[in-house]
Amino acid sequence: MSTARARIAPALAGAARVTLGLLWLHEGILKYRAGFGAADVGFVVDGAASNPRVPGFFQAFVDASLAAAPGLFGALLPLLETALGVALVLGVLTAPAAAVSVVVLASYWLADLLVWQYPAMVLLSVVVLASRAAAGAWSVTSLVAVLASRRRARAQ
């Protein structure tokens, strides 16, 4: 790999990771500020039940999970979105966060809750997953690894 390409790939993949993280932070913080909770989850449950675009298997999933504990999911969804954002911006557990991102976005899509940024977020998630090493090159995780390596080298 050429020197220029070796620098550009981590920069682009890292930019995709951070952009995805910022979008997740936006989603989570928006829900916190709006007071997202059980009533909002109830809206999703009711929408899934009455929307012919929501697949039957997903309606069954919504009934068995979201409808059974709307208060719990009302608290967990903003927390999950914010945690995904923090993990991706910092570059901590990048691949698992990107994978969870795809699953969460797919569930939003199945619930017919598609907004303009979700397709872009799926694409960014796939880019991060496809370029895990490059996406994590400039991250807290890589910084910790470099510092630990330097510490070991000085100790020898």
Side-chain angles (χ1 to χ4, degrees):
M1 185 180 296
S2 72
T3 306
R5 198 177 278 170
R7 282 189 292 238
I8 292 172
L12 291 176
R17 185 196 82 231
V18 171
T19 301
L20 177 61
L22 291 173
L23 288 167
W24 274 121
L25 281 172
H26 175 263
E27 290 294 313
I29 291 168
L30 185 67
K31 283 182 177 63
Y32 278 124
R33 285 187 176 162
F36 188 89
D40 300 284
V41 173
F43 173 74
V44 173
V45 170
D46 293 344
S50 63
N51 188 337
R53 292 184 305 259
V54 175
F57 75 90
F58 193 75
Q59 288 177 357
F61 166 76
V62 166
D63 290 342
S65 58
L66 297 179
L72 175 65
F73 284 98
L76 288 180
L77 284 172
L79 178 63
L80 173 63
E81 292 176 349
T82 304
L84 285 171
V86 169
L88 288 160
V89 167
L90 296 178
V92 178
L93 300 171
T94 299
V100 170
S101 176
V102 170
V103 171
V104 172
L105 290 164
S107 72
Y108 291 175
W109 219 326
L110 288 169
D112 199 30
L113 300 173
L114 189 60
V115 295
W116 73 268
Q117 68 265 32
Y118 292 168
M121 291 171 74
V122 169
L123 179 61
L124 290 168
S125 298
V126 170
V127 167
V128 171
L129 283 169
S131 58
R132 287 187 300 262
W138 295 346
S139 65
V140 169
T141 303
S142 65
L143 176 63
V144 168
V146 167
L147 293 175
S149 175
R150 287 181 183 170
R151 178 177 267 184
R152 281 191 303 273
R154 277 187 260 162
Q156 292 175 349

